[in-house]
């Protein structure tokens, strides 16, 4: 038995995102987001699923906070639905939307659960999209205005703020593959969106600090590891160039102040960059959030489609926890990073309710255990990880996959909205209580 003890103030939590759990898509004055529009368009999501109701968290948030207490969470990562507070993305404020988040934050604080807030987790205002969306520079300031509005309202209780969740997914899935809202397929536009998201990030960092310089501000980036399958120079080179092309897109500008040349070559040139952009993007952050799920593997021929002997999740992602440690050590040695939070990690498996009424999910439990251990080992290697948010608190709307992929520590029965803590959730209670993982 090995006992992996975590530091005293390690922030154990779970994460969600507004569109994936809230429902109430048009209630109490909420405006339309690009995800409302996208999921309402036939053929865009599995089974035509939408986030109209989702986990009905907008009405069940008290029950959900009770669940967080049962799990013993020390922190909860959630996002604000921009169009709930600013129905058109800018201009008129919706007081009922602000009140909702106000009550949520109050209740979290009363439960001793630290709120960890994401400003934008993909549900961009449809009205702003119609004026050019992220490609229109004039729109970028609206994101900063929205950030300031939220900081003014919640900054007395919320100390940790992140601007964007996974900008790469916004740019590439939204504007290249078109598998996510708004469903465009235009690589040059995507490159500009990626850059403009970074400018908007910089403006929002300034706006939040303008409200209160003591607020901690960061961003959440998804990083996969790019591994070589063997010691062949070609394999190593394939993995390395995949890393440079696709994993440096945001790390480089934020932490070095310029784009990686291999990313630029891959993207077919630089986006349009205005004077001052790079300094704005490279502002010092208080922390960085890293979402980790899996890795890609390369041999001398290229990417290995299916790794012999490996386990795969329902998303088709290889389970490879040691890749998390390697990735953390790599980014820690290549960049001068602020403290790190693992802002998402978890796995989808096709869980079922057993005759005993429980959800036995040993594969998810083991996935989490292995990733916790590898994180602890990375910390021993010198990486400053301060906390960990399991994706996700609840089974929820998994974007284009609809409700077909279950990531929750808690099962949601979508017909009755009944919540059931899974075995992995019960196990997590113990990890948090002991602040340790045992294997
Ligand atoms: C991440 C997203 C999150 C969830 C997980 C599975 O890319 O940030 O909303 O969909 O993947």
């Amino acid at each position: 038995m090995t006992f992996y003890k975590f530091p005293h103030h390690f922030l154990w939590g779970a994460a969600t995102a507004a569109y994936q759990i809230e429902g109430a898509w048009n209630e109490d004055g909420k405006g339309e987001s690009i995800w409302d529009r996208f999921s309402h368009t036939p053929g865009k999501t599995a089974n035509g699923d939408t986030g109209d109701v989702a986990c009905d968290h907008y009405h069940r948030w008290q029950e959900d906070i009770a669940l967080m207490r049962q799990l013993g969470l020390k922190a909860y990562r959630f996002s604000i639905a921009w169009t709930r507070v600013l129905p058109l993305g800018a201009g008129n404020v919706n007081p009922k939307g602000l009140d909702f988040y106000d009550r949520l934050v109050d209740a979290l604080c009363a439960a001793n659960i630290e709120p960890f807030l994401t400003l934008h987790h993909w549900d961009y205002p449809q009205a702003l999209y119609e004026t050019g969306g992220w490609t229109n520079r004039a729109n970028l300031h609206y994101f900063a205005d929205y950030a300031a509005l939220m900081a003014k309202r919640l900054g007395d209780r919320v100390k940790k703020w992140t601007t964007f969740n996974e900008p790469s997914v916004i740019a590439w899935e939204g504007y290249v593959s078109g598998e996510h809202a708004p469903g465009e397929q235009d690589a040059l536009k995507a490159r500009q969106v990626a850059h403009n998201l970074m400018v908007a990030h910089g403006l929002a960092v300034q706006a939040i600090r303008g409200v209160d310089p003591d607020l901690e501000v960061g961003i959440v980036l998804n990083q996969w590891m790019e591994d070589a399958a063997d010691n062949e120079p070609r394999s190593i080179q394939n993995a390395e160039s995949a890393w440079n092309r696709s994993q440096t897109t945001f790390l480089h500008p934020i932490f070095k102040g310029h784009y990686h040349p291999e990313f630029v070559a891959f993207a077919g040139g630089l986006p349009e960059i205005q004077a001052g952009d790079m300094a704005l993007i490279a502002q010092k952050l208080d922390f960085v959030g890293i979402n980790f799920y899996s890795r890609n593997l390369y041999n001398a021929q290229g990417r290995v489609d299916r790794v012999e002997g490996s386990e795969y999740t329902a998303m088709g992602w290889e389970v490879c926890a040691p890749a998390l440690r390697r990735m953390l050590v790599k980014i820690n040695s290549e960049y001068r990073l602020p403290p790190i939070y693992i802002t998402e990690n978890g796995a989808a498996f096709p869980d079922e309710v057993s005759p005993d009424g429980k959800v036995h999910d040993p594969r998810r439990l083991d996935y989490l255990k292995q990733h916790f251990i590898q994180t602890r080992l990375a910390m021993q290697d010198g990486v400053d990880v301060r906390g960990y948010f399991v994706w996700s608190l609840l089974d929820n709307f998994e974007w284009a996959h609809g409700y077909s992929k279950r990531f929750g520590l808690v099962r949601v029965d979508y017909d009755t909205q009944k919540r059931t803590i899974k075995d992995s959730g019960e196990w997590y209670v113990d990890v948090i209580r002991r602040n340790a993982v045992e294997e």
Side-chain angles (χ1 to χ4, degrees), residues 25 37 63 97 108 166 190 204 250 355 433:
W25 77 281
R37 178 66 62 96
E63 183 189 339
L108 288 168
E166 302 190 353
F250 302 99
R433 197 173 44 220

Side-chain angles (χ1 to χ4, degrees), residues 13 15 38 46 94 191 226 232 268-269 306 308 325 363 367-368 397 399 413:
F38 189 75
N94 178 28
R191 183 179 77 188
E226 310 285 0
E232 294 271 321
R306 195 139 190 120
E308 200 72 46
R325 178 186 186 179
R363 296 172 73 192
Y367 177 99
L368 292 172
F397 177 81
W399 309 111
D413 177 324

Side-chain angles (χ1 to χ4, degrees), residues 134-365:
W134 292 117
T135 56
N136 178 356
R137 291 256 336 181
N139 280 345
L140 306 186
H141 293 271
Y142 294 132
F143 182 62
D145 294 347
Y146 157 56
L149 172 77
M150 297 316 301
K152 277 183 202 142
R153 183 65 181 246
L154 302 176
D156 57 336
R157 286 152 291 156
V158 178
K159 297 299 167 200
K160 295 187 174 67
W161 293 72
T162 64
T163 54
F164 287 100
N165 177 73
E166 302 190 353
S168 70
V169 174
I170 300 177
W172 314 133
E173 306 302 323
Y175 292 85
V176 180
S177 77
E179 282 166 26
H180 281 192
E184 294 198 41
Q185 292 181 321
D186 179 339
L188 289 186
K189 208 182 210 185
R191 183 179 77 188
Q192 196 60 45
V193 165
H195 177 73
N196 289 359
L197 288 171
M198 288 301 91
V199 174
H201 157 78
L203 293 170
V205 170
Q206 286 185 335
I208 294 166
R209 290 188 176 144
V211 172
D212 179 352
D214 289 335
L215 297 179
E216 294 175 44
V217 196
I219 188 168
V220 170
L221 305 175
N222 54 315
Q223 301 295 147
W224 285 47
M225 184 55 189
E226 310 285 0
D227 270 335
D230 50 51
N231 285 327
E232 294 271 321
R234 271 310 293 250
S235 312
I236 295 169
Q237 198 202 319
N238 283 340
E240 197 54 30
S241 41
W243 176 275
N244 293 340
R245 269 195 323 263
S246 51
Q247 302 299 327
T248 66
T249 315
F250 302 99
L251 282 171
H252 246 63
I254 295 173
F255 297 109
K256 288 192 194 281
H258 61 88
Y259 289 103
H260 194 291
E262 280 191 59
F263 163 71
V264 177
F266 177 69
L270 277 170
E272 198 182 296
I273 300 176
Q274 295 191 5
D277 280 4
M278 297 317 289
L280 192 62
I281 294 169
Q283 276 171 96
K284 199 169 173 311
L285 296 178
D286 299 294
F287 65 88
V288 61
I290 299 289
N291 293 353
F292 178 86
Y293 288 95
S294 185
R295 64 152 182 189
N296 294 307
L297 188 69
Y298 299 83
N299 60 24
Q301 284 71 51
R303 190 167 163 266
V304 178
D305 257 359
R306 195 139 190 120
V307 183
E308 200 72 46
S310 274
E311 183 188 10
Y312 282 80
T313 71
M315 296 294 284
W317 296 341
E318 188 197 351
V319 178
C320 183
L324 170 56
R325 178 186 186 179
R326 287 194 288 276
M327 185 273 289
L328 288 171
V329 168
K330 182 173 172 71
I331 61 175
N332 193 53
S333 72
E334 292 181 6
Y335 301 95
R336 287 167 56 93
L337 297 178
I340 296 172
Y341 290 88
I342 304 297
T343 34
E344 285 181 28
N345 172 249
F349 289 111
D351 318 305
E352 291 299 339
V353 182
S354 294
D356 63 4
K358 300 195 170 204
V359 180
H360 302 301
D361 60 340
R363 296 172 73 192
R364 178 175 297 102
L365 190 158

Side-chain angles (χ1 to χ4, degrees), residues 303-437:
R303 190 167 163 266
V304 178
D305 257 359
R306 195 139 190 120
V307 183
E308 200 72 46
S310 274
E311 183 188 10
Y312 282 80
T313 71
M315 296 294 284
W317 296 341
E318 188 197 351
V319 178
C320 183
L324 170 56
R325 178 186 186 179
R326 287 194 288 276
M327 185 273 289
L328 288 171
V329 168
K330 182 173 172 71
I331 61 175
N332 193 53
S333 72
E334 292 181 6
Y335 301 95
R336 287 167 56 93
L337 297 178
I340 296 172
Y341 290 88
I342 304 297
T343 34
E344 285 181 28
N345 172 249
F349 289 111
D351 318 305
E352 291 299 339
V353 182
S354 294
D356 63 4
K358 300 195 170 204
V359 180
H360 302 301
D361 60 340
R363 296 172 73 192
R364 178 175 297 102
L365 190 158
D366 196 58
Y367 177 99
L368 292 172
K369 184 195 282 182
Q370 298 311 325
H371 285 78
F372 293 171
I373 291 172
Q374 293 298 323
T375 300
R376 188 67 191 93
L377 293 173
M379 291 161 76
Q380 283 169 17
D381 296 336
V383 186
D384 183 9
V385 182
R386 302 282 178 96
Y388 209 109
F389 294 83
V390 172
W391 185 271
S392 175
L393 174 68
L394 303 167
D395 287 342
N396 60 44
F397 177 81
E398 178 49 35
W399 309 111
H401 298 283
Y403 296 98
S404 67
K405 308 290 178 203
R406 294 180 177 272
F407 275 91
L409 292 166
V410 176
R411 180 182 176 87
V412 176
D413 177 324
Y414 296 112
D415 294 328
T416 61
Q417 292 294 345
K418 180 168 182 255
R419 275 82 162 132
T420 307
I421 298 182
K422 301 178 190 176
D423 285 359
S424 58
E426 302 287 1
W427 170 81
Y428 194 37
V429 172
D430 226 52
V431 170
I432 299 175
R433 197 173 44 220
R434 298 163 68 187
N435 198 28
V437 184

